[in-house]
Amino acid sequence: MSPKFMWQPFELSEQEYQEILPKLLNPNWAVLCKKLWRIRLPMKLDPEFDTIGDRYTWMALISEKHRVNSLAEAEKYSRSQS
């Protein structure tokens, strides 16, 4: 994150998670892309990492698995949205 922003940890109940999940997986791209320039690909769930409790370990493992194809996927997705 940018140095001028700070992330505050929070928890969601199962009900809150189920309510927000469709919005995360299927956002309004026209609005989202104007607000968040780094968003290039739709989110996807990867349950392989659900049991990892440490955020830094989770980020490292997710990055290792998914970053290889992310640029190619972003380019392909961008072309399909044009």
Side-chain angles (χ1 to χ4, degrees):
M1 294 187 80
S2 171
K4 59 184 172 178
F5 294 100
M6 210 166 153
W7 182 80
Q8 294 294 324
F10 63 93
E11 290 186 22
L12 296 175
S13 69
E14 182 63 30
Q15 180 181 350
E16 290 169 321
Y17 177 75
Q18 293 303 325
E19 288 174 14
I20 199 168
L21 187 60
K23 293 175 184 175
L24 290 172
L25 295 175
N26 301 299
N28 180 335
W29 285 101
V31 172
L32 191 62
C33 289
K34 291 178 186 174
K35 304 279 184 190
L36 303 170
W37 61 271
R38 288 182 158 205
I39 302 293
R40 291 183 264 169
L41 288 171
M43 291 189 204
K44 54 187 168 184
L45 298 178
D46 191 337
E48 178 181 340
F49 302 96
D50 286 355
T51 59
I52 300 171
D54 176 66
R55 180 168 59 117
Y56 297 104
T57 302
W58 179 87
M59 287 189 318
L61 293 171
I62 284 283
S63 294
E64 185 178 317
K65 179 177 179 182
H66 292 288
R67 82 170 147 230
V68 175
N69 295 322
S70 64
L71 292 176
E73 285 181 38
E75 186 176 313
K76 181 179 172 184
Y77 184 76
S78 178
R79 283 193 306 254
S80 74
Q81 297 299 305
S82 301

